[in-house]
């Protein structure tokens, strides 16, 4: 009867039931064997439950990861569409200006001064379009092509002075004052002069364009007090600033915050990513500090060469 009750318990899945292991030898052996079988089945059931729970956790984790990846893909697609729209707008604007100036210049007879002014405006518009196309081509290139540089031992202030000279007319038109403080001590870095100028011009252009009329952009360059052996350029504006949520994404290609679009409809969101990539390839780095409505500090750092460090010691 005990054996029969035990078999029914096992049939119902109650594997914690145990057979009596007493009485006649054959019944004792049978009870012990069935108890051992029940214990093994119970252990296998627990292992199966653990495996199932682990699989459920893995499935939930993978599902969450896929949902995050899908959301990121949607954001990338949205930024891609916005970028294409911005590109179309920015290419259309200088093209319209060039066509308009050319058509006006071809109408009737004009003085040499009128032709000269028209050609100057055409040159300016074509330069704007050329810069945009260069940015787009740089974005489309592979990292190896983008980061191909001709490094040489140079004074970074030469590139900075050229960048300032290039952007000074833009600052004048936008009624932004440039305040410049450059340390005149000996300094040498290993960099590509043209690419370094491009990095500095991108940072300075951003500072000017996101400043308000009548604003000030401060340009401070010299040895870093916090990092010995490092040359530091800081470009500070007092414009619209960058919110914390946007500050973490400004180096993403094509990303522009709503505040940036509201202040400046044009732009592709390519300048800062390109500047960061070029700075890092030259051994340096770019960091941004900002509070919304309080302006932005863009900091470029470059390691000084051994020759510069020895000269400083001498």
């Amino acid at each position: 009867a005990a054996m029969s009750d035990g078999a029914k318990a096992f049939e119902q899945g109650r594997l914690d039931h145990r057979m009596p292991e007493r009485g006649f030898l054959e019944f004792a052996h049978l009870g012990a064997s069935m108890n051992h079988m029940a214990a093994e089945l119970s252990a296998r059931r627990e292992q199966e439950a653990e495996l199932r729970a682990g699989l459920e956790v893995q499935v939930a984790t993978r599902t969450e990861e896929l949902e995050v990846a899908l959301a990121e893909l949607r954001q990338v697609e949205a930024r891609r569409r916005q970028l294409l729209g911005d590109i179309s707008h920015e290419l259309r604007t200088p093209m319209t200006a060039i066509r308009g100036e050319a058509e006006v210049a071809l109408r009737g007879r004009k003085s040499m001064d009128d032709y000269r002014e028209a050609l100057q405006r055409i040159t300016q518009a074509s330069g704007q379009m050329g810069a945009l196309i260069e940015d787009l081509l740089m974005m489309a290139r592979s990292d190896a092509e983008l980061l191909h540089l001709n490094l040489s031992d140079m004074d970074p202030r030469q590139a900075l002075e050229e960048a300032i000279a290039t952007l000074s007319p833009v600052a004048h038109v936008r009624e932004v004052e440039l305040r410049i403080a450059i340390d005149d001590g000996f300094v040498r870095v290993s960099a590509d002069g043209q690419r370094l100028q491009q990095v500095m011009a991108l940072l300075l252009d951003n500072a000017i364009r996101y400043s308000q009329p009548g604003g000030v952009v401060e340009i401070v360059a010299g040895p870093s007090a916090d990092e010995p052996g490092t040359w530091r350029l800081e470009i500070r504006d007092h414009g619209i600033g960058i919110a914390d949520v946007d500050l973490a994404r400004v180096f993403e290609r094509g990303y522009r915050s709503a505040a940036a679009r509201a202040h400046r409809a044009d732009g592709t969101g390519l300048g800062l990513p390109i500047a960061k990539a070029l700075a890092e390839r030259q051994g340096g780095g770019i960091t941004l500090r900002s509070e919304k409505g309080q302006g932005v500090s863009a900091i470029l750092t470059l390691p000084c060469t051994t020759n510069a460090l020895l000269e400083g010691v001498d």
Side-chain angles (χ1 to χ4, degrees):
M3 293 294 177
S4 178
D5 291 341
K8 289 180 181 179
F10 293 155
E11 181 182 357
Q12 295 170 0
R14 293 187 284 115
L15 298 179
D16 56 343
H17 181 82
R18 290 294 177 266
M19 294 283 195
E21 299 181 13
R22 63 184 180 275
F24 293 104
L25 184 62
E26 291 82 357
F27 288 108
H29 286 170
L30 178 60
S33 297
M34 295 189 72
N35 288 339
H36 180 71
M37 177 192 69
E40 288 293 326
L41 288 174
S42 180
R44 297 294 183 271
R45 177 181 289 180
E46 291 178 359
Q47 291 177 358
E48 180 185 355
E50 291 177 359
L51 288 174
R52 185 183 300 111
L55 287 173
E56 290 176 354
V57 171
Q58 291 182 13
V59 169
T61 301
R62 296 295 184 271
T63 301
E64 184 178 354
E65 291 174 352
L66 288 173
E67 290 176 350
V68 171
L70 181 59
E72 291 177 351
L73 285 175
R74 288 172 177 167
Q75 292 178 356
V76 169
E77 177 63 18
R79 291 200 300 270
R80 185 188 68 83
R81 292 181 180 179
Q82 184 64 56
L83 178 60
L84 290 176
D86 291 343
I87 291 171
S88 299
H89 171 75
E90 290 216 20
L91 286 176
R92 190 180 299 113
T93 300
M95 281 298 298
T96 301
I98 291 172
R99 185 183 301 111
E101 291 292 345
E103 290 175 352
V104 171
L106 291 173
R107 293 175 188 169
R109 295 183 177 179
K110 297 183 179 294
S111 66
M112 291 299 296
D113 290 338
D114 292 334
Y115 284 121
R116 185 176 292 106
E117 291 178 2
L119 289 174
Q120 288 175 347
R121 287 189 290 268
I122 289 174
T123 300
Q124 183 178 5
S126 61
Q128 177 186 354
M129 185 166 62
L132 174 61
I133 292 173
E134 179 64 25
D135 285 347
L136 296 176
L137 290 174
M138 186 169 294
M139 183 184 68
R141 291 171 186 155
S142 66
D143 289 341
E145 292 174 319
L146 172 63
L147 301 180
H148 177 70
L149 304 175
N150 295 317
L151 301 179
S152 63
D153 197 52
M154 61 167 293
D155 188 337
R157 292 170 298 191
Q158 296 177 353
L160 178 58
E161 290 170 358
E162 292 172 358
I164 293 173
T166 301
L167 273 300
S168 291
V170 178
H172 177 73
V173 170
R174 293 182 176 272
E175 300 178 2
V176 174
E177 179 186 354
L178 300 182
R179 294 181 182 173
I180 304 169
I182 302 176
D183 185 88
D184 58 0
F186 181 85
V187 60
R188 307 292 289 182
V189 299
S190 179
D192 183 317
Q194 182 178 358
R195 293 300 197 186
L196 184 57
Q197 178 190 348
Q198 182 182 3
V199 172
M200 296 172 173
L202 286 168
L203 298 179
L204 183 54
D205 182 63
N206 271 357
I208 294 171
R209 293 183 183 276
Y210 289 105
S211 294
Q212 303 293 351
V216 174
V217 171
E218 302 170 58
I219 303 170
V220 181
S224 173
D226 299 328
E227 301 178 61
T230 300
W231 186 80
R232 183 178 187 272
L233 167 65
E234 181 173 0
I235 300 177
R236 297 192 296 262
D237 67 68
H238 303 275
I240 64 173
I242 305 174
D244 290 341
V245 66
D246 298 315
L247 194 60
R249 301 185 60 189
V250 292
F251 291 111
E252 296 179 15
R253 289 185 177 183
Y255 179 79
R256 298 190 71 217
S257 66
R261 294 181 185 280
H263 178 82
R264 177 188 171 196
D266 59 337
T268 60
L270 303 179
L272 285 176
I274 291 173
K276 183 177 178 65
L278 291 174
E280 291 177 349
R281 184 62 179 86
Q282 296 174 90
I286 294 177
T287 56
L288 296 183
R289 299 173 184 170
S290 176
E291 293 182 10
K292 188 175 181 180
Q294 301 297 319
V296 176
S297 288
I299 301 169
L300 167 66
T301 55
L302 293 168
C304 297
T305 61
T306 304
N307 291 338
L309 297 175
L310 293 176
E311 182 71 17
V313 172
D314 294 340

